[in-house]
Amino acid sequence: MTQIFDNPADFADEALDGFVAANRGYVARVDGGVVRSTEVPAGQVALVVGGGSGHYPAFAGLVGPGLATGSACGNMFASPAAGQVYRVAKAANAGGGVLLSYGNYAGDVLHFGQAQLRLNAEGIETRTVTVTDDIASAPIGQLGKRRGIAGDLTVFKIAGAAAEAGLDLDDVERLAIKTNYRTRSLGVAFDGCTLPGAKDPLFHVPAGQMSLGLGIHGEPGISEHAMPTASELAELLVSKLLNDKPEDAGNRVVAIVNGLGTVKYDELFLLFGKVEKLLTAAGLTVVEPECGELVTSLDMSGLSLTLLWLDEELEQYWAAPADTPAFRKGSMAPRAPRADAVIDDVETADAEQATSAAAELGRLAVAILNQVRDVVVEHEEELGKLDAIAGDGDHGIGMRRGVDAAAAAAESVSGSSAARILTASGEAWSERAGGTSGALWGSAVIAAGQSLGNRDAYGAQDAAAVVQAFVRAITELGKAEPGDKTMVDALLPFRDAFLTELDGGAPVDRALAVAAAAAESAAAKTSDLRPLKGRARPLAEKSLGHPDPGAVSFGLIAARISQFIDSQLATVASAGELSATAGNGAQA
């Protein structure tokens, strides 16, 4: 259990601050993560890695010469926000372009992808290689759907060494892709991990059992087995990885036994000895192996085995020196400190003067966001438990962090137009929440605000535009479709019911009530679906019989907004805000 903290919500940020304080010779803090505190040669490719916190040494511990140039660090088990990735990459860029690399998780793909678009638009050439080494998360014919676990290390190390050697972005990217293709991992858990402030682990493994095929974000395995002996465990891991080896595999491999948090070194060494014998018996030569805690999952009781099949080129870069806080190989000359080691790149924008109607609508937006915060706080624990059934258990805390930040941002610009308030709120939501829900909700709230603009009057057609913009942002960014068991399964029924009611002449409050009921009903029906997107996909069978947490949280929020609009209708109408149309369907 994680016990040392003040406020659990601040755990990730305070841990990162302490890490930097303990390693100032290697890293400097930037808004969103860390970068090297030593000089990077001009024109060198910048390798920017990252993901959620709770995995040390990944990801910040791998920043230093011969490895990563920077790390974007999200909240506990949650992707860093797009803005965080962007700022870290900007600070890390040395003029040779940027390679982003991270585990293949939906939230990371969304946020890093948004950052890549922004960097390329500004003329910083940026590429991405996602790590997909976990053989338990998809069959061999679907490598692109696999998760990234401890194989992160092999991809990061070889890409970082290639950048250090002065290779250009094309070659660094090529080597990262090759390394990822030749890397395979499989993990097991003996018990789950506990998020800071939580009373219980995200999952339990029954006594005398072992969970096979776990993720690194607190996800349980895909199947449970009787607890094996060390020899049986080594045989299980080695045999499954050898059966999944790449087609062009040679006979030289890197073997990595990785502890996930509470399985300590003596046990890891014992297992490694048995793994090494099995690999040798299979005709393989083990080259410069690693055994220890390299990609962890807080206090999870578990471990994983990774194999990287080498060729001459990859072996050269795997063996190359590296010097980081948590991973050191060979010897490297000292580096001079960066002159601009601490970078504060806070962006501000001038706000236009809000019209009277836009300001009144803005006050309603602030009040609604406070209602959204209240309902999320009320249901935070149950949403986390629901997410832990087949996911990583962070949906409740992620939504809480996001909506707390959004409501605070709204209050900070109160009196502005609804467009400015919702834009500030969406940016804060994305930054603070991280993860898939942070990316989706943040983008959707921003899109809703942008649809409103700063006009002299608002009517029912603007309410329709807000709903359509909100839905479009989520569906275009997340790529989910009906039946994938995501928030979309509640969102689309909400949209369709709302627009149908408005088209039929219903006032906005009535349309909202009908739409909210449709969303809650649709969310409940996701119990019958198998997840086809997100972290719950590899554990689809565990998810059956339980509704999707994203759909449930959306339904709860829609219902609360509808109740609030109903209770405030008379006041809002008399003030001449948007919801005046809820009473008479006329322009406010």
Side-chain angles (χ1 to χ4, degrees):
M1 177 177 290
T2 306
Q3 302 180 72
I4 301 175
F5 53 82
D6 291 334
N7 182 347
D10 297 329
F11 184 92
D13 285 336
E14 292 189 342
L16 187 60
D17 289 340
F19 163 74
V20 172
N23 293 281
R24 296 195 191 280
Y26 289 99
V27 295
R29 188 79 154 93
V30 295
D31 186 7
V34 299
V35 295
R36 291 187 199 174
S37 59
T38 55
E39 286 290 352
V40 178
Q44 183 171 298
V45 173
L47 172 65
V48 175
V49 302
S53 296
H55 304 300
Y56 191 84
F59 298 92
L62 302 178
V63 173
L67 231 156
T69 321
S71 171
C73 304
N75 280 300
M76 303 309 296
F77 295 170
S79 167
Q84 293 175 299
V85 178
Y86 166 81
R87 290 189 292 273
V88 170
K90 284 268 285 190
N93 177 41
V98 174
L99 179 68
L100 303 175
S101 192
Y102 49 90
N104 185 37
Y105 295 89
D108 295 290
V109 171
L110 290 173
H111 286 289
F112 278 86
Q114 287 178 297
Q116 179 177 349
L117 290 173
R118 186 174 177 185
L119 290 162
N120 278 320
E122 293 184 10
I124 300 174
E125 188 174 3
T126 304
R127 314 272 181 85
T128 288
V129 175
T130 56
V131 182
T132 58
D133 59 305
D134 175 30
I135 70 169
S137 53
I140 193 168
Q142 299 177 21
L143 294 179
K145 293 184 177 181
R146 289 180 169 179
R147 302 177 293 198
I149 50 175
D152 285 349
L153 177 64
T154 64
V155 176
F156 298 169
K157 171 62 180 70
I158 287 177
E164 193 71 39
L167 275 63
D168 63 17
L169 185 57
D170 286 340
D171 276 333
V172 174
E173 178 190 33
R174 176 183 61 80
L175 284 164
I177 292 171
K178 183 200 282 192
T179 306
N180 180 62
Y181 171 70
R182 288 169 166 260
T183 300
R184 303 286 193 272
S185 299
L186 181 62
V188 296
F190 313 118
D191 206 4
C193 58
T194 307
L195 290 169
K199 297 177 182 178
D200 299 301
L202 293 174
F203 68 92
H204 279 295
V205 177
Q209 297 284 302
M210 174 188 74
S211 186
L212 177 68
L214 74 155
I216 60 169
H217 300 91
E219 307 100 321
I222 59 173
S223 60
E224 292 176 348
H225 304 260
M227 185 66 192
T229 65
S231 295
E232 290 167 344
L233 177 58
E235 173 64 33
L236 172 69
L237 295 173
V238 169
S239 63
K240 286 189 174 294
L241 292 182
L242 294 184
N243 286 337
D244 202 280
K245 66 182 180 182
E247 291 183 0
D248 56 351
N251 62 358
R252 295 175 68 80
V253 296
V254 172
I256 301 172
V257 170
N258 172 62
L260 283 157
T262 58
V263 178
K264 304 316 294 181
Y265 278 76
D266 287 340
E267 294 174 281
L268 298 175
F269 290 143
L270 186 154
L271 181 67
F272 185 87
K274 297 180 181 299
V275 166
E276 197 257 0
K277 288 179 180 178
L278 290 170
L279 294 174
T280 300
L284 299 174
T285 300
V286 178
V287 179
E288 297 198 25
E290 294 289 336
C291 182
E293 293 182 345
L294 298 159
V295 181
T296 63
S297 186
L298 281 175
D299 61 339
M300 182 180 285
S301 178
L303 56 89
S304 61
L305 174 63
T306 297
L307 296 180
L308 163 62
W309 277 266
L310 296 167
D311 63 10
E312 184 175 346
E313 185 179 37
L314 295 186
E315 186 167 343
Q316 170 192 348
Y317 292 112
W318 176 254
D323 187 19
T324 77
F327 186 90
R328 295 165 190 168
K329 183 186 281 285
S331 177
M332 303 193 79
R335 304 296 174 91
R338 280 182 61 168
D340 59 345
V342 180
I343 300 169
D344 185 12
D345 186 21
V346 179
E347 300 171 14
T348 59
D350 295 331
E352 64 178 333
Q353 182 66 39
T355 66
S356 176
E360 289 296 313
L361 191 54
R363 281 186 276 276
L364 178 61
V366 172
I368 287 174
L369 282 164
N370 284 329
Q371 291 293 315
V372 175
R373 179 191 57 201
D374 290 347
V375 75
V376 169
V377 170
E378 181 182 343
H379 295 278
E380 177 184 354
E381 185 174 353
E382 69 181 78
L383 290 172
K385 289 180 178 178
L386 185 59
D387 190 34
I389 291 169
D392 53 16
D394 73 342
H395 186 67
I397 192 172
M399 288 291 288
R400 169 71 180 271
R401 284 192 300 254
V403 76
D404 277 350
E411 293 284 0
S412 73
V413 292
S414 183
S416 304
S417 68
R420 184 179 181 219
I421 286 168
L422 292 176
T423 297
S425 298
E427 290 175 348
W429 194 318
S430 176
E431 289 276 330
R432 185 61 179 160
T436 305
S437 67
L440 296 176
W441 275 94
S443 297
V445 171
I446 291 170
Q450 291 174 342
S451 76
L452 290 169
N454 188 31
R455 296 191 279 277
D456 292 325
Y458 294 91
Q461 72 278 6
D462 296 297
V466 165
V467 169
Q468 289 172 315
F470 187 97
V471 172
R472 188 163 52 250
I474 286 177
T475 54
E476 290 182 357
L477 182 61
K479 309 297 184 186
E481 299 178 355
D484 284 348
K485 195 165 188 174
T486 69
M487 176 170 57
V488 167
D489 289 303
L491 183 63
L492 296 186
F494 174 90
R495 177 201 63 188
D496 294 344
F498 186 80
L499 297 180
T500 298
E501 290 293 313
L502 281 187
D503 289 345
V508 172
D509 67 315
R510 172 62 183 165
L512 185 55
V514 172
E520 289 197 293
S521 175
K525 292 177 182 177
T526 61
S527 295
D528 301 328
L529 300 176
R530 298 176 78 257
L532 301 178
K533 294 275 187 180
R535 289 180 185 164
R537 181 187 57 79
L539 302 168
E541 298 306 320
K542 291 180 181 287
S543 177
L544 280 172
H546 303 278
D548 176 68
V552 169
S553 61
F554 176 78
L556 292 168
I557 289 169
R560 178 61 64 90
I561 293 174
S562 175
Q563 293 162 8
F564 176 71
I565 292 295
D566 255 358
S567 69
Q568 298 294 311
L569 184 57
T571 303
V572 172
S574 66
E577 294 175 279
L578 170 62
S579 290
T581 61
N584 56 28
Q587 188 178 49

